[in-house]
Amino acid sequence: MRVGRGPTVRLRRLAAELTRLRRESGRSREEVARRLGVATSTVYRIESGHSRPQGRTMRDLLDLYDIGGSEREALLALARDAGRRGWWHAYGDVLPGPYVGLEAEAASVRNYEPLLVPGLLETEAYARAVVGAALVKDPAEIERRIAARMERQRRLTGPDALELWVVLDEAALRRPVGGPPVMAEQLRRLQEVAVLPNVTVQVLPFDTGAYLGMGNPLAILAFPDPEDSEVVFLENMGGELYLESAEQVHAYVQVFDHLRAAALGPEGSLEKIRSVEKEIAGR
């Protein structure tokens, strides 16, 4: 992105976090500017993502909002990374993870999932089973995680609805997460969402055999401002990887293109989902 043409993805993420912290502190922009000895316009430019706070200003903001420990270190790292192109990090103690914030800002998401239904399409019961399998035992934390997933789904409707293209391995349809009744309900949910004008769902059937990209979930996020580079999101047990270089993004776009070319078309995929749902429901 060229300087002066608007915020990058990381600047928008940092801007959102600093705005949230200010609001939670109960302070106005004018008060923050006065306490830091800067112009109100400076605070506005930071919170709108048009300026990256320099080291001293960033530390002063975190001091003012009383942010310490790992959250402080994560935000300082994010501020440093906002000046660089491409990054590898997971800020799990700032957000549930940076992915949710990126998704909230995206215009479109292309998503491949080999084993599970993606969070944007999960029912509450399915989500509860997935979270429970992650060994989360605190009931309050489970409910917060589920509520966050349900909130994310608001992006699928409305005037600025997210363009979502999902490719699912048939294994994601047949794995009885939560038991047959929960899975049957989830498959009915997929049928409902798949007919939305902004949603495309394709299934890679078992008889496809081996295929390019098999078993490695990925998401490609694109943003409203064409000056903002697309982001590839990869996740494994070791953490989260975010790729932004043109070469890396292009490589994964090609992988996704191969996946959707190998999959059943939208109508055939809908028939496959209906068929599996009938099997699981015993109809």
Side-chain angles (χ1 to χ4, degrees), residues 33-262:
R34 187 169 59 253
R35 294 284 296 272
L36 267 62
V38 299
T40 301
S41 61
T42 298
V43 179
Y44 169 78
R45 289 183 61 79
I46 289 171
E47 291 189 353
S48 63
H50 287 83
S51 292
R52 180 170 67 94
Q54 298 302 306
R56 173 65 182 273
T57 301
M58 185 66 188
R59 290 191 295 273
D60 288 346
L61 283 168
L62 296 179
D63 288 342
L64 183 60
Y65 302 146
D66 196 26
I67 304 300
S70 60
E71 184 178 15
R72 182 186 184 92
E73 290 306 310
L75 284 166
L76 288 171
L78 179 58
R80 289 193 296 270
D81 283 348
R84 295 193 287 266
R85 188 178 182 83
W87 46 287
W88 150 251
H89 205 79
Y91 298 104
D93 52 356
V94 179
L95 302 167
Y99 178 81
V100 174
L102 294 171
E103 180 187 84
E105 298 171 347
S108 69
V109 174
R110 285 162 284 179
N111 189 192
Y112 161 66
E113 291 291 344
L115 296 175
L116 294 171
V117 173
L120 282 170
L121 304 181
E122 290 178 355
T123 65
E124 188 171 326
Y126 184 98
R128 183 169 282 104
V130 171
V131 173
L135 301 179
V136 179
K137 300 304 180 184
D138 179 8
E141 182 178 351
I142 290 173
E143 293 309 312
R144 287 197 304 273
R145 289 194 183 198
I146 293 169
R149 294 191 188 198
M150 298 302 104
E151 184 67 24
R152 288 168 58 195
Q153 296 179 10
R154 293 178 180 271
R155 286 298 323 277
L156 295 180
T157 57
D160 63 341
L162 182 73
E163 293 288 334
L164 179 65
W165 196 312
V166 174
V167 177
L168 293 172
D169 192 288
E170 187 174 342
L173 306 182
R174 294 190 175 277
R175 183 177 299 278
V177 173
V182 169
M183 197 63 208
E185 178 192 36
Q186 176 62 70
L187 293 175
R188 289 192 292 273
R189 166 67 173 161
L190 282 179
Q191 294 171 53
E192 295 168 359
V193 177
V195 298
L196 292 175
N198 56 303
V199 177
T200 300
V201 177
Q202 290 185 262
V203 176
L204 274 157
F206 286 149
D207 58 18
T208 300
Y211 54 84
L212 180 66
M214 183 170 61
N216 299 301
L218 69 94
I220 305 168
L221 300 94
F223 301 90
D225 187 341
E227 292 289 336
D228 286 340
S229 61
E230 293 183 332
V231 175
V232 173
F233 169 71
L234 306 172
E235 184 179 22
N236 56 42
M237 292 296 290
E240 300 176 349
L241 177 64
Y242 297 84
L243 307 175
E244 286 189 71
S245 76
E247 295 78 11
Q248 291 171 320
V249 170
H250 179 68
Y252 280 97
V253 167
Q254 286 188 310
V255 170
F256 190 83
D257 286 344
H258 278 283
L259 289 167
R260 63 185 182 181

